[in-house]
Amino acid sequence: MHFTVEAQNFAKPHLTAGAIAVDATCGNGFDTLFLAEQVGSSGLVYGVDIQSRAIETVRAKLLEAGTLQQCRLVVGSHSQLNAMIEQEHAGAVSVVMFNLGYLPLGDKTIVTKPETTLAGLDQAFEMLRPGGFLSVLAYPGHRGGQEESQCVADWVARHADVIRSERFQDPGNRNSPVLWALIKVVGAGV
Ligand SMILES: C[S@@+](CC[C@H](N)C(=O)[O-])C[C@H]1O[C@@H](n2cnc3c(N)ncnc32)[C@H](O)[C@@H]1O
């Protein structure tokens, strides 16, 4: 399974022209670009990464693709997501994507952490519209990754009454990435 492609495939049906989406871990910008293409020039994508270097890479990628104008890029932690989106967009976001871990070929010490990931997931859930989609791709194979994956699994379990969830992992490989495809149940409170 190609997990990053699968995350996008699951997100796609939830994205229409004019939609609002969030990439909570921009990295090299593959998900940001995907989201920007789906929502089009009438939509809006918030792209967040803790590394300014990553955000500059993403900015260049979007500019080249002609999709920068529908994106707002923010250097900061997704644990502060609420402060990054406009109030009028709270509860109206169609898709939020988290791709955890570190930047491939980048500084492996700058890595997502359980506390900030959980804070980000709480806020992502709140900003989703009913029926909205949240993907979380976690990597148990790196140092601290197993603990972070377990925290995400526990978070999903705690939200079982308000989230419809599917979990994917290569069978027989405990270090395989884990993808959660999550849908906020219509009628769910926050
Ligand atoms: C696996 S990469 C994301 C890959 C990206 N989705 C792509 O398409 O290239 C994980 C990213 O999370 C970022 N990151 C780590 N901690 C973060 C935090 N607290 N808030 C936002 N981004 C964070 C890292 O800087 C890194 O770029």
Side-chain angles (χ1 to χ4, degrees):
M1 179 180 223
H2 194 304
F3 290 90
T4 51
V5 172
E6 280 308 310
Q8 293 182 0
N9 286 341
F10 281 117
K12 211 168 188 169
H14 300 272
L15 292 160
T16 50
I20 303 165
V22 177
D23 183 351
T25 51
C26 281
N28 288 318
F30 293 104
D31 290 333
T32 324
L33 178 58
F34 159 76
L35 293 169
E37 287 171 343
Q38 300 303 310
V39 304
S41 57
S42 59
L44 178 61
V45 178
Y46 292 95
V48 182
D49 200 286
I50 204 155
Q51 298 189 63
S52 53
R53 207 184 106 201
I55 290 294
E56 287 322 308
T57 303
V58 178
R59 191 182 305 284
K61 183 172 267 165
L62 296 169
L63 186 62
E64 193 183 340
T67 55
L68 183 59
Q69 59 117 6
Q70 61 253 40
C71 297
R72 267 185 227 172
L73 302 177
V74 186
V75 178
S77 173
H78 44 227
S79 59
Q80 307 293 322
L81 264 187
N82 276 344
M84 296 168 181
I85 76 152
E86 286 185 30
Q87 269 317 297
E88 66 190 88
H89 295 153
V93 172
S94 292
V95 167
V96 184
M97 300 183 79
F98 282 77
N99 186 348
L100 304 175
Y102 52 79
L103 193 58
L105 306 177
D107 183 345
K108 294 186 178 171
T109 65
I110 304 175
V111 61
T112 55
K113 304 257 169 49
E115 319 80 71
T116 40
T117 298
L118 292 182
L121 289 176
D122 282 340
Q123 291 166 59
F125 176 74
E126 282 177 32
M127 64 184 57
L128 274 183
R129 64 173 175 75
F133 175 81
L134 171 63
S135 67
V136 187
L137 182 50
Y139 301 88
H142 68 78
R143 185 199 289 251
Q146 191 74 46
E147 293 74 12
E148 186 176 41
S149 296
Q150 188 56 52
C151 282
V152 175
D154 293 344
W155 184 89
V156 172
R158 281 198 299 279
H159 290 76
D161 53 337
V162 286
I163 283 178
R164 210 148 40 80
S165 71
E166 286 188 282
R167 179 188 181 279
F168 302 90
Q169 185 173 30
D170 283 341
N173 176 6
R174 72 187 293 270
N175 283 334
S176 146
V178 185
L179 172 63
W180 282 271
L182 308 169
I183 294 177
K184 183 172 182 172
V185 169
V186 177
V190 289

